[in-house]
């Protein structure tokens, strides 16, 4: 967290929290959601300003209830998550990089959802792979130690049979099936925090 933010929190500790005005889409884009976007359940405008993106990324955290927020000075801006708290992109140097720009240091577990989304976990960090990178990531998947094609993967999603694995960082990681509807509960985060 930025030092300036820590000082603002100390100076104004009781600023009300903000809900619904910021979102993270399934491709790692921060979205500003004005009243119009909130009313119509729209994703909002994608933030493109580099300095603002850096500020948000450095001050992104979560509370004990699994609600993710951006600490904007003294105000906590809770955000809507379209997918998971982090989005991962494939990267030739690091394997995977998070939407914040940080490399995903390791993958402890992998999950393939019934909608085809691949979710990676490292400790408490949970990141869905950007769907635009799934074609490249397909080359890292194996079914019973054999490269897996689209049809075999779709069949596995319908009725998991055989051992699906992800090859990453010299490791073989078992891929577990997971219903998309169960993702927030399974990993302990909230997609749409609400005022208490």
């Amino acid at each position: 967290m930025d030092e300036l933010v820590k000082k603002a929190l100390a100076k104004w500790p009781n600023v009300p929290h903000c809900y619904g005005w910021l979102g993270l889409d399934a491709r790692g884009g921060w979205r500003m959601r004005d009243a119009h976007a909130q009313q119509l359940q729209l994703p909002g405008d994608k933030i493109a300003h580099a300095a603002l993106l850096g500020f948000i990324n450095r001050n992104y955290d979560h509370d004990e209830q699994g609600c993710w927020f951006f600490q904007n000075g003294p105000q906590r801006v809770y955000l809507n998550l379209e997918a998971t708290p982090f989005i991962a992109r494939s990267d030739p140097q690091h394997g995977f990089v998070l939407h914040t720009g940080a490399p995903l240091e390791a993958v402890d577990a992998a999950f393939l959802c019934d909608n085809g989304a691949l979710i990676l976990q490292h400790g408490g960090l949970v990141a869905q792979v950007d769907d635009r990178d799934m074609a490249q990531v397909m080359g890292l998947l194996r079914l019973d130690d054999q490269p897996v094609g689209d049809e075999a993967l779709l069949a596995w999603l319908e009725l998991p049979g055989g051992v699906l694995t992800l090859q990453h960082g010299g490791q073989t990681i078992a891929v577990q099936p997971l219903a998309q509807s169960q993702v927030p509960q399974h990993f302990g985060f909230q997609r749409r925090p609400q005022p208490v």
Side-chain angles (χ1 to χ4, degrees):
M1 190 176 292
D2 287 358
E3 197 58 40
L4 183 65
V5 171
K6 291 177 185 176
K7 288 179 182 178
L9 277 168
K11 188 171 182 178
W12 298 291
N14 297 317
V15 173
H17 301 321
C18 178
Y19 294 85
W21 286 83
L22 186 64
L24 178 65
D25 69 27
R27 291 184 166 175
W30 294 109
R31 301 279 185 156
M32 184 62 67
R33 303 182 69 248
D34 62 14
H36 177 75
Q38 290 180 54
Q39 183 179 16
L40 298 177
Q41 299 297 310
L42 300 172
D45 296 326
K46 190 171 181 180
I47 299 172
H49 191 275
L52 178 56
L53 291 171
F55 184 59
I56 294 171
N57 288 335
R58 288 190 310 274
N59 296 286
Y60 181 49
D61 205 351
H62 63 90
D63 65 18
E64 308 79 36
Q65 288 76 41
C67 298
W68 286 82
F69 61 87
F70 154 54
Q71 191 67 50
N72 184 20
Q75 186 173 51
R76 188 172 280 189
V77 180
Y78 283 99
L79 59 127
N80 293 356
L81 301 172
E82 185 179 346
T84 54
F86 292 92
I87 302 301
R89 298 183 182 111
S90 61
D91 180 82
Q93 183 178 1
H94 300 289
F96 291 102
V97 173
L98 301 175
H99 73 276
T100 60
L104 180 57
E105 296 174 7
V107 176
D108 303 327
F111 303 83
L112 191 62
C113 296
D114 47 5
N115 68 346
L118 180 64
I119 298 176
L120 309 174
Q121 184 177 20
H122 174 60
L125 190 147
V126 178
Q128 180 173 301
V129 174
D130 186 324
D131 66 328
R132 296 170 293 186
D133 289 8
M134 280 303 294
Q136 184 174 351
V137 173
M138 281 286 291
L140 304 174
L141 295 173
R142 302 283 182 271
L143 183 59
D144 295 329
D145 291 325
Q146 300 297 316
V148 64
D150 292 342
E151 288 182 25
L153 193 57
L154 289 172
W156 187 88
L157 281 170
E158 288 183 26
L159 184 63
V163 178
L164 185 65
T165 58
L166 172 72
Q167 308 300 309
H168 176 69
Q171 294 184 314
T172 299
I173 301 138
V175 178
Q176 303 167 49
L178 182 62
Q180 171 66 23
S181 62
Q182 296 301 308
V183 169
Q185 179 183 344
H186 183 85
F187 295 108
F189 68 85
Q190 296 186 37
R191 282 204 172 121
R192 306 260 183 283
Q194 300 296 320
V196 181

